[in-house]
Amino acid sequence: MAKYRCTVCNWVYDDVKQKVKFEDLPKEWVCPICGAPKSAFVLLTEEKTGKEAASEEKAENTVSDVLINQIAAWGVRYVFGIPGTSTLGVIDAIRKTNGKVRYIQVRHEETAAFMASAYGKLTGHISAVLGISGPGATNLVTGLYDAQLDHAPVLALTGLVPRKLIGKGAIQEIDQQAFFEPLSVYNKTLMTEDQTTSLVTLAIKHALLDQGVAHIGIPNDVQKLPYETEILPFEGRMPNMAYGQEEWVIEKAAKVVDEANRPVIVIGFGARGQGTKLLKLADKLGAPIIATFRGKGIVDEMDSRYMGGHGGVGSTAASQIMEKTDLLIAVGLSFSDLSQIPQKRMVQIDINPLMIARRYPAEVALLGNSAVLIPKLTEKVAEKNRADYVAEAAKLKAAWLEQLQAEADPKAKPIRPPYIMKVLNEKVADDAVISLDVGENCWWFGRNFFMKRTQKMVMSGTLATMGFGLPGALAAALACPERQIVCVTGDGGLTMVLGDFLTALKYNLPVKVFVINNKRLGMIMQEQKVEGYEGWQTELHDFSFADFATNAGGLGIKVTEPAELEAAVEKALKSDKPTIVDIDTDPRRFAT
Ligand code: FE
């Protein structure tokens, strides 16, 4: 018997109460509270079969046992980390759950934090990291900052020196309370046993609702204190987040939309999962759709109503449409400098009040869940026939597609990145999860890869940190075990986290890593060129990632000839092993 959480409205489906196992519900079943699809649900708790339950140790419980059982009851399935001196109590409590909470041992804490961040972005649910005091905590920081800035829920647990040593300069002691303050939405130290369940449930609540990192430091001696208490259930402790704005505000927004001549719908990560609803709005208005990078794939990118991305990694179709628009209907975007969204009249939808008018004023702001507000706005706006505008947009889009097609030279050597993107586009599964790194690989993927709505992408959006790609893919393999997992990375980013390819092997996570190997920090080389600097310190030592993968026990494929690329990609995607396809690539952004 199991319970599942709707990640849109927080309603809990209980197998026993509903009398039908969640797994047996039809694919088209939707949340009875908010209408979210079955795929928006995550496993919260699972009751063990008699045999498994009997094997559970009956030893006296400690604070660590209560803490781990509490996070398990709130749906934490994974803890990522490296065991160490100041976390032994918590590690043993995870061991005692017999897999109810899975511990994933990585090679560097940065990978653990990237994995938890990626897991949050992909599922809308929370997982945990566990690091020791001092170096374990400091190594977590880049991945945690990534989660915090991209609004991904993560529970960060760290060990601390025993209470009696705090502040005395003990080995591996740093001021963790101060250290985690700027990168968390909740930051506390567990000082006594009777705080355990309340503190840890509040931490998860803050991470999910305030969208970021919740940190709890647990002194070594507190972890081992004997303690028994009731576990707090998830039900009744979370608000229904499927809320919208009052009717009169929506009517006011619709009036502004009705007055516009060339409206554009601009979408970001906050519109995820709303592709079908957005297309209905687009059709009623005769309005094209533009996305930020993190909004990529929400709408099928081959759709003629979709203009592409906007900004640094955008399409000409999107910028041409944007130039002449007189109204933005902005849904779930943060207005980062990278997306370069200009100031226009604007109707804005966002669930986070602080995202409203973050850069430019909004004429009408609709505060609430985009899943609720998109259909409400669609209902209120007047239907428009804008055949000319629709045709103009479709023509611009077709010209953009043609340009990208022409860029994808199948014969050029070294292999051109647009050709790599074209081949991946053709071969990758319709429901693949794609994890991106940062650099030229990411630039080319954003610009030249056309995602399907059924695919998912995860990336480091705001921190834009190199090294995210492989850990993101590892997390995707755990979050979506039934899907094909693809990582698009570069030689610079992959080297930062290469040791954790061994984690893929240890846990048999069949990630397919495609290295756009230009033997450079390619994006920085490009910037040096554009800014008139000498190309310097951007060349990287040439190294065979394929040999590394093979030696580690995975599948490694080196591609130097363009004619070999298709077969190599096919072979990798068919393999059930963790795989690295190392593709020798032209470092130049444009061949001419
Ligand atoms: Fe729901």
Side-chain angles (χ1 to χ4, degrees):
M1 292 302 132
K3 290 180 186 177
Y4 295 80
R5 169 190 167 228
C6 173
T7 53
V8 178
C9 74
N10 286 318
W11 179 67
V12 175
Y13 184 98
D14 183 331
D15 275 358
V16 179
K17 268 194 215 157
Q18 307 297 324
K19 296 193 178 77
V20 181
K21 268 188 159 183
F22 184 79
E23 287 166 18
D24 297 337
L25 292 169
K27 234 175 128 189
E28 4 12 286
W29 179 88
V30 295
C31 173
I33 305 300
C34 74
K38 197 181 171 191
S39 59
F41 278 72
V42 291
L43 181 65
L44 202 57
T45 58
E46 207 171 10
E47 218 165 273
K48 289 187 181 153
T49 60
K51 202 177 150 200
E52 282 171 324
S55 74
E56 219 168 89
E57 290 176 34
K58 291 284 174 262
E60 191 179 54
N61 275 340
T62 62
V63 164
S64 296
D65 294 313
V66 170
L67 183 140
I68 292 301
N69 287 328
Q70 182 62 70
I71 67 172
W74 282 46
V76 175
R77 323 301 315 162
Y78 294 102
V79 179
F80 309 107
I82 302 178
T85 310
S86 58
T87 55
L88 295 179
V90 181
I91 291 284
D92 197 56
I94 301 171
R95 180 189 66 80
K96 289 195 306 200
T97 68
N98 286 318
K100 189 163 76 177
V101 174
R102 255 188 99 187
Y103 184 73
I104 303 293
Q105 176 225 72
V106 295
R107 296 301 181 110
H108 194 292
E109 287 90 349
E110 184 184 62
T111 296
F114 278 144
M115 286 178 77
S117 178
Y119 187 90
K121 294 179 208 186
L122 280 168
T123 62
H125 195 60
I126 192 161
S127 61
V129 294
L130 175 60
I132 61 164
S133 64
T138 54
N139 277 349
L140 286 170
V141 80
T142 305
L144 293 183
Y145 252 118
D146 177 71
Q148 177 76 2
L149 299 190
D150 275 355
H151 305 288
V154 171
L155 177 64
L157 304 171
T158 58
L160 285 174
V161 297
R163 283 173 296 179
K164 65 179 181 191
L165 292 182
I166 288 177
K168 292 183 183 169
I171 288 287
Q172 296 188 324
E173 190 203 8
I174 60 164
D175 184 350
Q176 264 156 252
Q177 188 64 38
F179 183 75
F180 282 97
E181 197 58 32
L183 61 94
S184 59
V185 293
Y186 189 81
N187 180 28
K188 307 289 169 201
T189 304
L190 182 57
M191 292 301 278
T192 67
E193 54 269 55
D194 46 11
Q195 285 176 293
T196 310
T197 54
S198 58
L199 212 61
V200 80
T201 52
L202 275 172
I204 295 177
K205 199 167 165 169
H206 277 258
L208 288 174
L209 297 176
D210 211 1
Q211 301 180 316
V213 175
H215 167 249
I216 297 184
I218 318 152
N220 200 342
D221 58 320
V222 175
Q223 293 172 31
K224 296 159 187 171
L225 295 173
Y227 186 49
E228 290 284 356
T229 193
E230 289 285 307
I231 296 300
L232 307 175
F234 182 85
E235 295 102 306
R237 287 184 168 83
M238 286 288 276
N240 179 348
M241 293 301 283
Y243 66 89
Q245 189 82 58
E246 291 93 335
E247 291 290 299
W248 69 267
V249 190
I250 297 165
E251 275 160 21
K252 204 172 146 197
K255 197 166 166 278
V256 173
V257 173
D258 290 346
E259 285 163 12
N261 292 316
R262 292 172 63 96
V264 165
I265 302 166
V266 190
I267 59 174
F269 188 63
R272 63 193 177 279
Q274 308 308 319
T276 314
K277 289 172 190 162
L278 286 162
L279 285 175
K280 269 189 199 156
L281 177 62
D283 283 341
K284 193 164 180 187
L285 297 175
I289 299 175
I290 289 174
T292 65
F293 202 146
R294 290 192 77 203
K296 190 176 171 65
I298 292 172
V299 173
D300 199 308
E301 292 196 85
M302 288 302 283
D303 194 299
S304 64
R305 293 164 287 188
Y306 179 73
M307 296 297 101
H310 194 267
V313 193
S315 75
T316 50
S319 54
Q320 283 160 340
I321 283 289
M322 184 63 89
E323 212 171 284
K324 290 192 206 159
T325 185
D326 59 349
L327 179 78
L328 306 182
I329 302 167
V331 187
L333 62 149
S334 64
F335 294 85
S336 83
D337 54 326
L338 191 78
S339 55
Q340 297 167 14
I341 307 293
Q343 183 169 7
K344 304 268 180 181
R345 286 184 82 186
M346 178 164 72
V347 165
Q348 193 181 357
I349 295 177
D350 211 291
I351 199 159
N352 180 348
L354 291 174
M355 284 296 156
I356 300 293
R358 194 176 187 224
R359 190 165 291 225
Y360 308 121
E363 199 150 327
V364 185
L366 300 179
L367 197 58
N369 200 314
S370 62
V372 175
L373 286 169
I374 298 165
K376 283 197 180 230
L377 182 64
T378 306
E379 200 187 298
K380 299 275 184 213
V381 294
E383 187 154 7
K384 301 273 178 169
N385 180 359
R386 293 193 173 101
D388 290 351
Y389 185 36
V390 170
E392 179 192 334
K395 206 174 149 197
L396 290 170
K397 174 68 178 297
W400 174 243
L401 285 177
E402 217 168 283
Q403 184 188 325
L404 295 193
Q405 195 66 23
E407 285 174 5
D409 182 347
K411 295 210 172 85
K413 192 181 167 185
I415 304 172
R416 292 287 306 147
Y419 180 60
I420 302 173
M421 293 305 148
K422 182 175 182 250
V423 171
L424 287 176
N425 223 151
E426 285 163 5
K427 305 289 178 194
V428 162
D430 285 356
D431 68 343
V433 184
I434 303 154
S435 177
L436 293 187
D437 216 298
V438 165
E440 285 298 273
N441 57 88
C442 178
W443 194 87
W444 285 110
F445 181 89
R447 186 172 172 279
N448 290 54
F449 189 100
F450 284 76
M451 280 185 67
K452 298 182 177 77
R453 196 168 62 80
T454 45
Q455 293 170 333
K456 275 188 174 199
M457 177 194 76
V458 66
M459 69 185 296
S460 174
T462 316
L463 190 62
T465 172
M466 283 171 67
F468 181 86
L470 175 64
L474 298 176
L478 295 167
C480 314
E482 71 293 349
R483 289 176 173 222
Q484 184 182 79
I485 309 297
V486 169
C487 170
V488 175
T489 182
D491 44 330
L494 181 59
T495 316
M496 287 182 171
V497 290
L498 190 58
D500 272 298
F501 186 70
L502 306 182
T503 304
L505 288 154
K506 180 177 168 81
Y507 294 101
N508 195 23
L509 305 173
V511 294
K512 308 297 154 53
V513 180
F514 295 93
V515 192
I516 313 305
N517 189 351
N518 52 20
K519 304 166 186 66
R520 303 278 193 296
L521 297 169
M523 182 168 274
I524 310 309
M525 184 192 82
Q526 175 69 18
E527 286 169 3
Q528 285 172 332
K529 191 177 157 190
V530 170
E531 294 189 33
Y533 288 105
E534 192 99 347
W536 198 65
Q537 294 296 343
T538 44
E539 289 189 5
L540 296 172
H541 177 71
D542 192 8
F543 166 76
S544 173
F545 294 95
D547 286 351
F548 173 84
T550 309
N551 291 339
L555 173 64
I557 308 172
K558 180 79 184 171
V559 185
T560 48
E561 295 297 324
E564 294 165 356
L565 183 62
E566 286 198 8
V569 171
E570 274 172 23
K571 187 177 171 192
L573 294 175
K574 266 193 209 133
S575 168
D576 54 6
K577 279 186 177 180
T579 299
I580 298 182
V581 184
D582 179 353
I583 308 165
D584 274 348
T585 311
D586 190 347
R588 295 169 304 165
R589 189 168 276 182
F590 295 105
T592 50

